[in-house]
Amino acid sequence: MIRKCHGDVIKFLGDAVLIIWPVDKFASYDIKAATALMASLCALQLIKKCGNYEKGEGNSAVSLKLHCGVGTGVLNCMCLGEGERWEYFVTGDPLQQLAEAVPEANMGEVCVSEKTYRHSAPHLHRSANSQGALFHRELVRSLHSSPR
């Protein structure tokens, strides 16, 4: 599903994954906005199709519930190491946005940073919790229609 949304899983983080949608930092606002929208839509699709996993019974029961955060901005990615030992590091403002957004998302929710919301707002319904965290709920209209 992530590949169909043109995203790349670049890092596994324990029980989470970091998925990026690379865009040239000099790309137009429209390209960046479309990419933020694509990431938000993919998160909504992941929640809908993969957000609830329950298998087994009793002591062997497994229940996993997905929640997502979406951030926008410049990431710095680097490989560091030598010989047989290499690590992949990712830094940048989107990670700080995710650190703030993900804890706000309950299971089955997509919480987006304010910056991401500004990019994708015309196409997605949103709501806010009492702390002001922004949530995308569903697609507002066809992506081919212009914002009103």
Side-chain angles (χ1 to χ4, degrees):
M1 173 181 301
I2 294 164
R3 184 176 290 167
K4 286 182 181 179
C5 293
H6 304 284
D8 293 319
V9 175
I10 62 164
K11 191 137 178 93
F12 290 92
L13 311 159
D15 64 348
V17 293
L18 181 59
I19 304 167
I20 64 169
W21 281 259
V23 174
D24 188 282
K25 70 179 183 177
F26 301 111
S28 70
Y29 177 84
D30 289 343
I31 296 295
K32 292 176 182 176
T35 304
L37 179 59
M38 181 72 75
S40 298
L41 289 171
C42 186
L44 288 168
Q45 288 177 6
L46 283 169
I47 294 288
K48 185 176 181 180
K49 294 187 178 188
C50 309
N52 192 10
Y53 177 83
E54 296 194 26
K55 295 288 181 193
E57 296 178 12
N59 290 339
S60 63
V62 175
S63 179
L64 303 173
K65 306 221 186 282
L66 185 64
H67 62 143
C68 297
V70 182
T72 306
V74 176
L75 280 177
N76 301 295
C77 304
M78 63 201 90
C79 291
L80 184 63
E82 68 176 319
E84 297 293 318
R85 177 73 177 174
W86 287 86
E87 295 292 335
Y88 189 66
F89 292 95
V90 181
T91 66
D93 185 49
L95 295 182
Q96 181 60 40
Q97 294 171 38
L98 289 176
E100 295 168 6
V102 170
E104 295 294 331
N106 292 318
M107 297 305 139
E109 292 182 328
V110 176
C111 184
V112 298
S113 70
E114 191 171 324
K115 186 175 180 181
T116 302
Y117 173 72
R118 285 193 308 267
H119 285 307
S120 55
H123 298 288
L124 296 167
H125 282 295
R126 74 131 173 127
S127 62
N129 68 11
S130 60
Q131 289 77 37
L134 301 166
F135 297 87
H136 280 322
R137 301 292 184 202
E138 60 189 46
L139 184 64
V140 173
R141 60 185 158 275
S142 167
L143 299 180
H144 299 292
S145 65
S146 60
R148 294 177 190 160

